[in-house]
Amino acid sequence: MFRKILIANRGEIALRILRACRELGVRAVVAYSERDRDSLPVRLADESICIGPAAISQSYLNIPNIVSAALVTDCEAIHPGYGFLSENPYVAEICDSYGLTFIGPPPAILEEMGSKARARYLMRQAGLPVLPGSEEPVASVVEARELAAAIGYPVLVKAVNGGGGKGMRLVHNDAEMLRLYPLAQVESETAFGRSELYVEKCLTGARHIEIQILADSAGRVIHLGERECSLQRRHQKILEETPSPAVSETLRNELGQAAVSGARAIQYAGVGTFEFLVDSDARFYFIEMNMRIQVEHPITEMVTGVDIAKWQIRLASGEPLGLAQEDVRMNGHAIECRINAEDPERAFLPDIGTIREYVPCGGPGIRVESHLYPGYQLAPEYDSLLAKVIAWGGTRHEAILRMDRALDELVLNGVKTTRPFHQRLLKDAAFLNGRTNINLVESYL
Ligand code: MV4
């Protein structure tokens, strides 16, 4: 096990990793930008080190400063959290060359599976169902048009190095392809520094289901069940739950086995998530893989009792996976609501300000993951996530009741938040009946 880790992230996930380190007996150094000097992770860390000014490009994406920070504080590993550098193969390579462990999969896997078109090819080779589409970047709009005509509209044009739906364009016909393809190229170039695109048959009205896996470097792989992630707005997940109301025991085993086979095929190591689309006939298709700990990991922790954050660190230190698939049980139901500093009455425009009052909710089955404290000043440079409220219940109904109670209880004043939106969503008939699919939120809005 590591003696000391640098946490190259901020906010609630930095706190989450800090807590995992504390429980593993590992010292934690929190890297922070000048804007985050007074943040809670910095306050609670064993040590902290400034890695640059507020701007993300000069701090949380500043690879030389982050690697130097790890070296000068005598850390053995760097934990990237999620977002920022969490799936950056170049950082993983640099860590290797400096004798540091990058807490994530090997660089070669980050490179291979980071190309979403290549990931489709590899997963198809591993026997997972994929939708019709390209397994290499399309060379031009001409090729895209030919491919789309062959597989049939509507299609999605996606960024090869994208993910999370950024740079994704829904195309209904040839004329739209001519117009939208260049826009998707520019958006991909801007967001990811690469403009390659690929084309995939669009599956409408499906559910977005992801499978959590844990894998060690000796080839042991298990899955921890699914997460229902269909409630998204502009590809930002709003609410996640496990188990999915639409996944039977049979489908769960099929999805789990598919993810385990996919992980084995690429010799994956660490924590990872396989994303699938599931249609109304319970047919599923692999769409992409996430090779980091995810925002929504706590709902899987609450239902399986498995501490994913701690396992990610153990596995990165080379420890064998001490869990067998038959040890994994899903008990009860968990829901996560992301409380963002956004105004649902004004198209979710981000809001900033100072947290005037903050009293986290609690009681039976409630877990709050948040870096907030009264007087905390929101930083305009970073994402708007303020807190994740997770509610566990013996049944879905009890989890919803507890989430209702928790969102009513939560005292959080000083900025507009998405709380009212969640409170309405939790009362929506379609949601209560478990009839969530990826169109619900857009239609709901
Ligand atoms: C899709 C899809 C339908 N067909 N791919 C969105 C984020 C990224 N993880 C993959 N995503 C999707 N890929 C094909 N071929 C539907 C989604 C999707 C979605 C799309 C539009 C609006 C909301 C969505 C929520 C979840 C998944």
Side-chain angles (χ1 to χ4, degrees):
M1 179 46 72
F2 305 116
R3 194 179 32 78
K4 202 191 242 191
I5 288 179
L6 182 89
I7 299 173
N9 212 305
R10 62 178 302 281
E12 66 88 16
I13 194 61
L15 216 43
R16 177 71 188 89
I17 298 163
L18 197 56
R19 287 165 170 157
C21 289
R22 189 63 49 83
E23 293 175 20
L24 289 169
V26 174
R27 286 178 64 78
V29 180
V30 165
Y32 63 90
S33 72
E34 287 163 10
R35 173 78 73 196
D36 284 332
R37 186 179 300 279
D38 300 326
S39 70
L40 192 53
V42 168
R43 183 169 170 179
L44 297 181
D46 298 300
E47 289 174 50
S48 58
I49 181 166
C50 184
I51 48 170
I56 292 176
S57 58
Q58 299 178 61
S59 51
Y60 296 107
L61 291 180
N62 186 327
I63 299 172
N65 285 13
I66 287 169
V67 173
S68 308
L71 296 171
V72 300
T73 55
D74 194 23
C75 290
E76 295 140 292
I78 292 178
H79 197 312
Y82 54 60
F84 297 141
L85 299 172
S86 60
E87 295 187 325
N88 186 314
Y90 179 57
V91 175
E93 276 164 18
I94 290 190
C95 284
D96 284 353
S97 62
Y98 279 92
L100 292 164
T101 300
F102 177 78
I103 297 182
I109 295 180
L110 284 168
E111 190 71 47
E112 278 245 277
M113 294 297 280
S115 159
K116 305 301 179 186
R118 178 85 180 143
R120 282 171 39 87
Y121 166 76
L122 292 168
M123 290 303 110
R124 185 171 60 80
Q125 292 295 95
L128 278 70
V130 297
L131 288 160
S134 48
E135 291 172 350
E136 296 291 335
V138 286
S140 67
V141 65
V142 173
E143 187 185 325
R145 291 169 68 194
E146 286 163 359
L147 186 58
I151 57 181
Y153 287 101
V155 299
L156 280 166
V157 173
K158 295 182 170 184
V160 164
N161 294 88
K166 251 188 185 173
M168 206 167 85
R169 282 282 192 290
L170 177 58
V171 182
H172 295 93
N173 54 54
D174 195 47
E176 276 194 13
M177 182 61 88
L178 277 172
R179 184 167 56 83
L180 295 176
Y181 185 89
L183 295 181
Q185 275 183 309
V186 168
E187 190 169 328
S188 174
E189 179 70 43
T190 312
F192 311 112
R194 310 272 295 269
S195 63
E196 286 99 339
L197 302 173
Y198 67 105
V199 175
E200 200 175 59
K201 178 73 181 162
C202 179
L203 191 62
T204 52
R207 285 170 179 266
H208 189 195
I209 304 285
E210 59 185 33
I211 297 285
Q212 178 72 60
I213 58 115
L214 301 182
D216 68 16
S217 42
R220 296 180 196 85
V221 187
I222 63 169
H223 73 86
L224 299 179
E226 81 279 5
R227 292 190 286 261
E228 168 77 58
C229 300
S230 301
L231 296 185
Q232 301 187 20
R233 179 182 173 278
R234 297 204 179 150
H235 307 304
Q236 287 301 317
K237 292 164 183 164
I238 289 181
L239 178 149
E240 305 98 346
E241 65 179 305
T242 180
S244 163
V247 170
S248 66
E249 192 62 32
T250 309
L251 179 55
R252 176 168 303 113
N253 291 334
E254 289 171 2
L255 287 163
Q257 281 320 309
V260 168
S261 305
R264 284 211 175 98
I266 57 173
Q267 296 175 310
Y268 193 76
V271 304
T273 300
F274 280 72
E275 286 190 18
F276 296 94
L277 290 171
V278 179
D279 70 15
S280 43
D281 300 326
R283 280 190 295 264
F284 61 89
Y285 305 91
F286 169 82
I287 43 173
E288 60 190 75
M289 182 181 187
N290 300 308
M291 299 173 279
R292 61 182 187 269
I293 192 166
Q294 292 203 263
V295 174
E296 59 269 24
H297 77 272
I299 58 173
T300 302
E301 293 187 327
M302 299 286 274
V303 158
T304 62
V306 174
D307 186 315
I308 297 168
K310 284 206 304 242
W311 271 111
Q312 184 178 27
I313 296 168
R314 288 196 194 102
L315 294 169
S317 76
E319 281 189 26
L321 182 57
L323 281 174
Q325 192 63 57
E326 47 274 12
D327 300 334
V328 177
R329 293 276 180 285
M330 292 178 80
N331 171 32
H333 196 102
I335 299 171
E336 176 183 84
C337 287
R338 301 187 191 197
I339 309 298
N340 293 329
E342 295 168 354
D343 185 354
E345 302 305 314
R346 293 173 59 218
F348 289 81
L349 269 178
D351 194 14
I352 59 164
T354 303
I355 303 298
R356 223 167 1 88
E357 280 182 297
Y358 175 59
V359 181
C361 38
I366 298 303
R367 168 174 165 181
V368 179
E369 296 282 350
S370 176
H371 56 297
L372 295 191
Y373 58 84
Y376 176 67
Q377 279 200 335
L378 296 192
E381 294 85 358
Y382 311 128
D383 70 38
S384 60
L385 182 63
L386 296 176
K388 299 174 333 192
V389 178
I390 298 106
W392 178 88
T395 62
R396 184 172 192 258
H397 179 62
E398 186 174 51
I400 292 172
L401 277 180
R402 284 175 166 170
M403 183 63 87
D404 263 339
R405 169 179 64 75
L407 294 180
D408 285 345
E409 246 178 64
L410 175 67
V411 176
L412 205 177
N413 294 318
V415 285
K416 294 277 187 188
T417 74
T418 51
R419 185 219 325 239
F421 178 81
H422 285 294
Q423 290 173 312
R424 285 201 308 276
L425 195 54
L426 287 165
K427 294 177 173 63
D428 176 77
F431 172 76
L432 291 171
N433 295 330
R435 286 200 318 276
T436 45
N437 72 29
I438 60 179
N439 305 102
L440 180 68
V441 167
E442 303 302 338
S443 57
Y444 194 77
L445 286 174

